[in-house]
Amino acid sequence: MVSVALDAMSGDAGYPVAVDAAAMALRRHPHLRLILVGAAAELEKAVAERALDFGARLQIEPATEVVSMDESPAKALRGKKDSSMRVALNLVQQGRAQACVSAGNTGALMATARYVLKMLPGIDRPAIISAMPSQNGHTHMLDLGANAECTAEHLAQFAVMGAVVAAAVSGLERPRVALLNIGHESIKGNQVTKAAAELLEASELNFVGYIEGDGIYVGDVDVVVCDGFTGNIALKASEGTAKLISAYLRAELTRTWWSRLAAVLIYPVLRRFQQRADPRAYNGASFVGLQGIVIKSHGSADALAMANAIHIADLEVEKSVPSRISRLLDQALLPARTDALTEPAD
């Protein structure tokens, strides 16, 4: 049985979406147990109104506070010790849950998770990783915003964590790892990127070199590594581009009666396109590098999107992602670290 703590009070829509998502996830995964964390009276009422009967597979853990979406991480960490976010993370730390899912304030969730769960040995900083749609399925990308500035060693650690997550979620034996850069040539990029490439070339990872921004969506690689500043801009630009294409498509298909007729004729194609590009299918970003599994759902997620975030938590628990990261870290980067230590000084 996989046990997941769900921060039920977080997100733009609050606990009604969380309860609906929990019901959806429990129906899909018979081996799953969910702990709804938040205002007990409201959660009990929502469960009763939906006539949900999952027995011991659906439990409620009371929490009296909520971290707002605009609250500072420091204030949330110090002043909201009984928040639904903090209590859900405490359940993971105590071993009562194996993962935490929250749609709350990203900064507060990261700061609190790092304080409660601590970092894995050998990992300097946590990173945010998520799947991005590509022509051949999806590509995992990190860091998406946790670390604005990184060293070459940080990027190498991100590569290890990304490879583990891609292997766990996609079932790949040796995920192809690439560094995001402004060109494919070895002379391109800043000194940090070049130094990270040297570390990865000497590692045991399946490092395939540099990739440019358009390559994220082609599907020639499985993991794209970059600093959080670059990754977050790439992510938001991608989301904006998707909205622009959707707006253009709607405008053109409703412009004249001919185009409206065409829209009816190609409706099955449009429906399949919408399903493939639906951002809800990619909801759920992992905070990797922690001694526990934490999944961040988008704040505006609906029940289907949040259920997908719960699904990712379930996968990472089954594949023991944190312990696999610890094992692969030394195995993959030891050659590179040894070379760096034995390299003669100038």
Side-chain angles (χ1 to χ4, degrees), residues 10 67 152 187:
S10 62
V67 175
I187 61 172

Side-chain angles (χ1 to χ4, degrees), residues 192-212:
V192 171
T193 303
K194 292 177 181 178
E198 291 180 4
L199 285 173
L200 293 175
E201 285 170 352
S203 75
E204 297 299 316
L205 295 177
N206 186 12
F207 178 61
V208 297
Y210 295 140
I211 191 172
E212 296 183 74

Side-chain angles (χ1 to χ4, degrees), residues 59-219:
Q59 301 177 5
I60 294 174
E61 184 74 17
T64 59
E65 299 173 308
V66 179
V67 175
S68 65
M69 297 301 283
D70 59 352
E71 199 158 352
S72 75
K75 182 179 178 182
L77 180 60
R78 292 196 298 262
K80 296 285 183 74
K81 296 184 179 181
D82 197 45
S83 68
S84 54
M85 179 185 292
R86 178 69 172 268
V87 173
L89 289 166
N90 286 342
L91 292 176
V92 178
Q93 192 274 331
Q94 295 162 5
R96 294 177 56 193
Q98 295 159 286
C100 165
V101 175
S102 174
N105 181 321
T106 302
L109 181 62
M110 177 64 81
T112 307
R114 189 170 182 175
Y115 175 80
V116 172
L117 301 177
K118 312 304 181 189
M119 300 296 300
L120 287 169
I123 298 293
D124 299 323
R125 297 181 180 181
I128 301 175
I129 182 172
S130 184
M132 309 276 277
S134 72
Q135 293 179 22
N136 298 326
H138 54 259
T139 303
H140 284 85
M141 186 171 176
L142 74 165
D143 177 28
L144 295 178
N147 306 279
E149 296 181 359
C150 297
T151 65
E153 182 72 18
H154 294 150
L155 294 179
Q157 292 173 9
F158 295 169
V160 171
M161 296 190 290
V164 170
V165 172
V169 174
S170 305
L172 302 169
E173 289 188 11
R174 283 179 56 78
R176 298 161 297 175
V177 179
L179 282 170
L180 187 62
N181 201 359
I182 58 173
H184 294 279
E185 301 84 0
S186 60
I187 61 172
K188 297 288 183 70
N190 56 33
Q191 293 303 314
V192 171
T193 303
K194 292 177 181 178
E198 291 180 4
L199 285 173
L200 293 175
E201 285 170 352
S203 75
E204 297 299 316
L205 295 177
N206 186 12
F207 178 61
V208 297
Y210 295 140
I211 191 172
E212 296 183 74
D214 58 346
I216 298 170
Y217 307 99
V218 174

